[in-house]
C-alpha cells in the first residue's frame, strides 16, 4: 500500500512541522515575556548579582585555564607555520586576531553553554519539577520576574566579560610561549599586534559577537529549563538540549556575524 | 553563600572582565593611537594601486599617521583615487609625494608619504599632486627581460 | 504590577462572608476528548477544614489548581471569597493569591534558600516590613510549627516531616484567609503525620482560616476535618461529615474507608474479558 504509506509519511512530516512551529511560537512568546519582566527583575539587582556569581564567577576557572592553553598552543602552532615564511614577528598578530575576532567569543561561548547554560537549565527545570515555580506563582510571585529574568541577565552580563578574559589570557599565553619560551622580540610581538589589530573592526566586533552569544546561550538555557518536562528525564533531556542547541546556534550565528562584520576587511 | 562574599566575588569578576576589555582595547587594539574617527582627509590619485586595501596604514618616515579610508576609480581619468584619513596632529606640505609601498617582499601594502619643501600645508579635502604608483612585479620583470634582450641584440 | 498594599482592603476580601470557596458544576479537561473533572459542585464554609478525598490521579489536585486560578474551568463557576476566579485578570488573580496559602505535594520548598528565607520569601515579596519585623514574624511562624531551632538549616537537610512543617509555616506566612494542602500526609511516618494533621487543625482554628485538604489518607482526615468530599473519576461520588462517613453504607465510601482492593473502584484496569484474552474458547 504505497499510497497510504506516503500519506502516512506526509502526515508525520506535517505533525513534526506543526510541533516545531508550535515550539518556536512558544519560544518567541517566552522571549517577549522574559523581556517584559526584565525591568521588574532588574529592579531587584541583588538577584541578578547572585546569578552573575553563579554563571560568571563559577565559570572563571574553566575560562581562564582554557584561554591560557588555547593561546599557548596557538603560539606554538602559529610560530611553526610563520617561521617558514620568515614572518615569526607576526605571531602576535596571528594570535590576537584569531582570539579577538573568533576564538575568544566562540570558545568562551561554547564553554559558557556547557558550564553555566546547562546549570541554569537544570536549576530551573528542577524548580519546575519540584513545584517550586508553581509554589511561587501561588504566592503571587511571577517566576518569570523572580527566577527566569535574573538568570537570563546574569548570563548576558557574564558572557562578554568571560570572552574578554579568555582572549586576554590567550594573548598572555601566546606571549609566554612566543616571547619567553621561543624568544621572539617582545617589541615586535606587541608592536605588530597593535598596528594590525583595529579597535573598532576587531575588538568591538569581537565584543558584539560575545554579547550576541551571551543572549543566545542565556535565552536557550532559561527556555529549556522553563519548558522542561517536570520529571528527572525531562530535566536531563532539557540540559542536553541546552548544550547542543546553544553550541550549534553559536556556530551558525558566528558564521553569519563574520560574513557581515569582516566582509570588507582583509578579504576585499 | 554569604551575601557579602557573593558581592565581593562579583565585584572582582566584573573588574577583571572590564580590565580585560580595557587591555584588548588599549594594549591589543591600539585604541589611543588609531584615531579612526578624528582626522582630516586628503586624496591622492594613482595610476595603479597594486594590492592596496582599505584600512591599510599611511606612513610617514615609517610612522603610522593614518589609514586608507576609501578607494575608487575615477571614471574620466581611469586613475585610482585613494582617500586617506590622517591624524590631526600631523600636517603635510602641498608637494608631498604619496607612494604605494610594500614592507618587505611579502609584507603589507601601505601608503608612504614623503614630505617636500613647500611652505603651504595640505588642508582637509586637499589633494596630493605627486604620486608614485605601486611597483607591479610582473611589469618589472618583463621590463628587465626586454632591456636585457634589446641590449643583447644591439651588441 | 503595582505594589500591593500591605494590609487587606475590605472590598477585596470580606471575612464575614460565610462561604469561602464555591464550585458550581465545574468541568475541566486538558483536551476536548478527556475530561478530568465533570460537574463538580462543592461549597466550603468559612472557618472549616474540608477534605477532598480520592484515589491517585482522580483530579483532586486539579481542583486546588482551579481554586488557585492556575487552571481555568471549561464550564462552571469557581468563586473564592466572593470573586469569580476565572474572570480575574493577572493583577486580580495575584491579589487573590496573596489571600491564599498553599502547601504543595512534598513541600516545594525553595532549595536555594534556608528555612528562614523560605518563610520570609512571601513577606519580603509582598510587604515592606522592616528586617526586624520579618525576623520576628518568621520566627513566630516557625515556633508555631515547632521548628524555630531549624531556621538556619537548608531544606535538603530536613526530614520529610520537618520539610512539610516548614512548608506549612510558609503557606500561612501571610495569614491567608484560605489554606490549601495538597497531599500533606504523603510519605510521612505516623508521628510526623499526626503532627502535621494536628497543626492543620490548630492553625485553622487559631488563625480563623479556611482549610482545604486534598488527600487519600482517610484515617488521618477523619480525625481532623469537618466535612469530606469523595471524588472518583472526576465526579463527586459521596460527601458528608466524619460521623456520616463512618456510618455510611455507600459502597465507594466503604471501600475507601476500609481499604478494600476491589469494589466500585475496580481492582482490574479495563481490559478484554479473560476468556478472550487467553483464547479459552479458541478453536
Amino acid at each position: 500500500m504505497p499510497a497510504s504509506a506516503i500519506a502516512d509519511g506526509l502526515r508525520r512530516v506535517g505533525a513534526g512541522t506543526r510541533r516545531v512551529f508550535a515550539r518556536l511560537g512558544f519560544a518567541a512568546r517566552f522571549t517577549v515575556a522574559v523581556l517584559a519582566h526584565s525591568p521588574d527583575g532588574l529592579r531587584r539587582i541583588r538577584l541578578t548579582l547572585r546569578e552573575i556569581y553563579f554563571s560568571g564567577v563559577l565559570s572563571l576557572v574553566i575560562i581562564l585555564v582554557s584561554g591560557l592553553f588555547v593561546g599557548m598552543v596557538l603560539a606554538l602552532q602559529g610560530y611553526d607555520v610563520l617561521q617558514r615564511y620568515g614572518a615569526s614577528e607576526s605571531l602576535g598578530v596571528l594570535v590576537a586576531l584569531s582570539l579577538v575576532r573568533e576564538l575568544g567569543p566562540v570558545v568562551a561561548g561554547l564553554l559558557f553553554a556547557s558550564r553555566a547554560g546547562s546549570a541554569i537549565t537544570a536549576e530551573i527545570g528542577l524548580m519546575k519539577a519540584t513545584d517550586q515555580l508553581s509554589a511561587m506563582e501561588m504566592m503571587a510571585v511571577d517566576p518569570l520576574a523572580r527566577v527566569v529574568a535574573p538568570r537570563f541577565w546574569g548570563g548576558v552580563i557574564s558572557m562578554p566579560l568571560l570572552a574578554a578574559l579568555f582572549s586576554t589570557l590567550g594573548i598572555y599565553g601566546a606571549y609566554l610561549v612566543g616571547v619567553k619560551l621561543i624568544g621572539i622580540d617582545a617589541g615586535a610581538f606587541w608592536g605588530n599586534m597593535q598596528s594590525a589589530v583595529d579597535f573598532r573592526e576587531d575588538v568591538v566586533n569581537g565584543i558584539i559577537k560575545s554579547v550576541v552569544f551571551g543572549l543566545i546561550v542565556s535565552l536557550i538555557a532559561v527556555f529549556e529549563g522553563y519548558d522542561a518536562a517536570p520529571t528527572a528525564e525531562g530535566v536531563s533531556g532539557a540540559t542536553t538540549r541546552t548544550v547542543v542547541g546553544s553550541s550549534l546556534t553559536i556556530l551558525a550565528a558566528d558564521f553569519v556575524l563574520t560574513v557581515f562584520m569582516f566582509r570588507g576587511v582583509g578579504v576585499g | 553563600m554569604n551575601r557579602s562574599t557573593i558581592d565581593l566575588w562579583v565585584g572582582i569578576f566584573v573588574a577583571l572582565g572590564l580590565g580585560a576589555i580595557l587591555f584588548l582595547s588599549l594594549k591589543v587594539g591600539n585604541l589611543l593611537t588609531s584615531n579612526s574617527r578624528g582626522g582630516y582627509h586628503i586624496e591622492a590619485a594613482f595610476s595603479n594601486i597594486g594590492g592596496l586595501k582599505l584600512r591599510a596604514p599611511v606612513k610617514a618616515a615609517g610612522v603610522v599617521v593614518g589609514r586608507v579610508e576609501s578607494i575608487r576609480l575615477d571614471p574620466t581619468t581611469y586613475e585610482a583615487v585613494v582617500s586617506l584619513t590622517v591624524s590631526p596632529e600631523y600636517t603635510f606640505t602641498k608637494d608631498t609625494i604619496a607612494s604605494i609601498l610594500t614592507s618587505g617582499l611579502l609584507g603589507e601594502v601601505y601608503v608612504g608619504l614623503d614630505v617636500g619643501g613647500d611652505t603651504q600645508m595640505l588642508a582637509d579635502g586637499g589633494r596630493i599632486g605627486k604620486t608614485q604608483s605601486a611597483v607591479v612585479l610582473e611589469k618589472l620583470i618583463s621590463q628587465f627581460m626586454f632591456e636585457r634582450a634589446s641590449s643583447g641584440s644591439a651588441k | 504590577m503595582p505594589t500591593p498594599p500591605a494590609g487587606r482592603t475590605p472590598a477585596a476580601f470580606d471575612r464575614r462572608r460565610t462561604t469561602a470557596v464555591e464550585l458550581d458544576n465545574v468541568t475541566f479537561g486538558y483536551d476536548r476528548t478527556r475530561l478530568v473533572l465533570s460537574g463538580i459542585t462543592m461549597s466550603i464554609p468559612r472557618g472549616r477544614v474540608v477534605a477532598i478525598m480520592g484515589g491517585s490521579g482522580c483530579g483532586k489536585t486539579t481542583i486546588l489548581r482551579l481554586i488557585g486560578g492556575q487552571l481555568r474551568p471549561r464550564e462552571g463557576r469557581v468563586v473564592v471569597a466572593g470573586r469569580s476566579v476565572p474572570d480575574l485578570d493577572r493583577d486580580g488573580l495575584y491579589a487573590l493569591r496573596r489571600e491564599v496559602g498553599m502547601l504543595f505535594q512534598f513541600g516545594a520548598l525553595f532549595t536555594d534558600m534556608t528555612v528562614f528565607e523560605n518563610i520570609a520569601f512571601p513577606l519580603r515579596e509582598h510587604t515592606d516590613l522592616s528586617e526586624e519585623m520579618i525576623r520576628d514574624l518568621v520566627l513566630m511562624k516557625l515556633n508555631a510549627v515547632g521548628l524555630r531551632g531549624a531556621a538556619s538549616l537548608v531544606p535538603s537537610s530536613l526530614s520529610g516531616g520537618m520539610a512539610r512543617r516548614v512548608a506549612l509555616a510558609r503557606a500561612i506566612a501571610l495569614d491567608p484567609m484560605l489554606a490549601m494542602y495538597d497531599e500533606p500526609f504523603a510519605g510521612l511516618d505516623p508521628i510526623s503525620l499526626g503532627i502535621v494533621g494536628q497543626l492543620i487543625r490548630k492553625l485553622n482554628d487559631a488563625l480563623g482560616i479556611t482549610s482545604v485538604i486534598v488527600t487519600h489518607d482517610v484515617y488521618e482526615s477523619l480525625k481532623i476535618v469537618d466535612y469530606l468530599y469523595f471524588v472518583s473519576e472526576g465526579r463527586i461520588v459521596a460527601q458528608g461529615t466524619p460521623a456520616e462517613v463512618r456510618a455510611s453504607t455507600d459502597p465507594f465510601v466503604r471501600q475507601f474507608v476500609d481499604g478494600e482492593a476491589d469494589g466500585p473502584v475496580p481492582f482490574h484496569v479495563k481490559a478484554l474479558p479473560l476468556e478472550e484474552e487467553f483464547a479459552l474458547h479458541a478453536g
Side-chain angles (χ1 to χ4, degrees), chain B residues 42-46 49 70 72 79-84 97-99 111 113 126-131:
Chain B
I42 50 179
E43 281 190 343
F46 298 91
I49 58 163
S70 70
R72 62 188 171 84
E79 283 186 317
V81 179
V82 177
S83 174
L84 313 172
I97 304 171
S99 26
V111 177
L113 298 179
R127 189 160 192 147
I128 294 175
K130 292 179 202 163
T131 62

Side-chain angles (χ1 to χ4, degrees), chain C residues 181-196:
Chain C
Y181 304 97
D182 190 359
E183 300 284 7
F185 309 126
L188 294 187
D189 61 84
I191 299 173
S192 305
L193 198 145
I195 294 172
V196 170

Side-chain angles (χ1 to χ4, degrees), chain C residues 124-178:
Chain C
R124 288 195 207 282
E125 291 292 329
H126 294 307
T127 65
D128 295 322
L129 296 174
S130 69
E131 200 53 37
E132 298 101 84
M133 280 285 274
I134 286 180
R135 181 182 165 277
D136 292 352
L137 280 171
V138 170
L139 292 182
M140 273 162 62
K141 301 291 174 192
L142 273 174
N143 198 41
V145 297
L147 289 176
R148 190 159 42 82
S152 58
L153 298 180
V154 288
S156 56
S157 63
L158 297 177
S159 71
M162 281 158 82
R164 212 62 58 84
R165 277 145 78 185
V166 173
L168 187 58
R170 188 179 68 179
I172 55 154
L174 283 172
D175 292 331
M177 65 97 190
L178 173 68

Side-chain angles (χ1 to χ4, degrees), chain C residues 25 42 60 66 78 123 168-169 173 198 203 238 248 254 266 271 273:
Chain C
N25 208 15
M42 52 177 70
K60 293 171 303 193
L66 284 167
V78 179
L123 297 167
L168 187 58
Q198 287 309 310
L203 290 170
S248 173
R254 287 264 58 91

Side-chain angles (χ1 to χ4, degrees), chain C residues 50-133:
Chain C
V50 173
I52 300 171
M53 321 247 353
S56 306
C58 71
K60 293 171 303 193
T61 304
T62 309
I63 295 176
L64 292 190
R65 290 189 186 269
L66 284 167
I67 295 172
Q70 286 187 311
L71 299 171
R72 272 159 208 265
R74 200 164 282 278
E75 278 167 42
R77 294 190 314 131
V78 179
V79 180
V80 176
R83 280 170 283 179
S84 172
V85 177
D87 298 331
L88 291 174
D89 60 1
R90 203 188 102 113
D91 288 351
L93 201 55
Y94 273 27
L96 175 72
R97 283 178 185 169
R98 258 170 249 137
E99 309 281 331
V100 177
M102 179 149 174
L103 183 143
F104 277 76
Q105 215 163 341
F106 306 116
L109 293 174
F110 301 130
T111 40
D112 57 343
M113 299 178 194
T114 61
V115 166
F116 181 94
E117 287 300 321
N118 259 284
I119 296 162
F121 180 85
L123 297 167
R124 288 195 207 282
E125 291 292 329
H126 294 307
T127 65
D128 295 322
L129 296 174
S130 69
E131 200 53 37
E132 298 101 84
M133 280 285 274

Side-chain angles (χ1 to χ4, degrees), chain A residues 46 49 52-53 56-57 60 96 158 161-162 164-165 168 171 190 193-195 197-201 203 207, chain B residues 1 3 6-7 9-10 13-14 16-18 20-21 23-25 27-31 37 53 55 67:
Chain A
R46 185 156 294 283
L49 283 184
I52 293 176
Y53 176 82
V57 176
L60 263 180
S158 297
L161 301 177
L162 290 173
L165 282 166
T168 303
I171 290 168
W190 293 114
M193 189 193 294
Q194 284 169 1
S195 65
V197 179
D198 183 68
F199 172 69
R200 215 194 62 77
E201 293 288 348
V203 178
I207 293 174
Chain B
M1 181 64 77
R3 263 185 185 182
I6 288 184
D7 286 357
W9 272 108
V10 170
F13 169 63
V14 171
L16 278 179
L18 292 178
I21 289 176
F23 169 80
L24 293 179
S25 309
K27 182 87 181 168
V28 178
N30 213 6
L31 174 64
R37 291 271 156 251
K53 291 184 174 107
R55 306 209 18 76
R67 298 267 167 196

Side-chain angles (χ1 to χ4, degrees), chain A residues 42-54:
Chain A
L42 280 180
R43 206 174 306 141
R44 288 172 297 188
I45 194 74
R46 185 156 294 283
L47 293 175
T48 309
L49 283 184
R50 215 178 115 84
E51 298 311 325
I52 293 176
Y53 176 82
F54 283 114

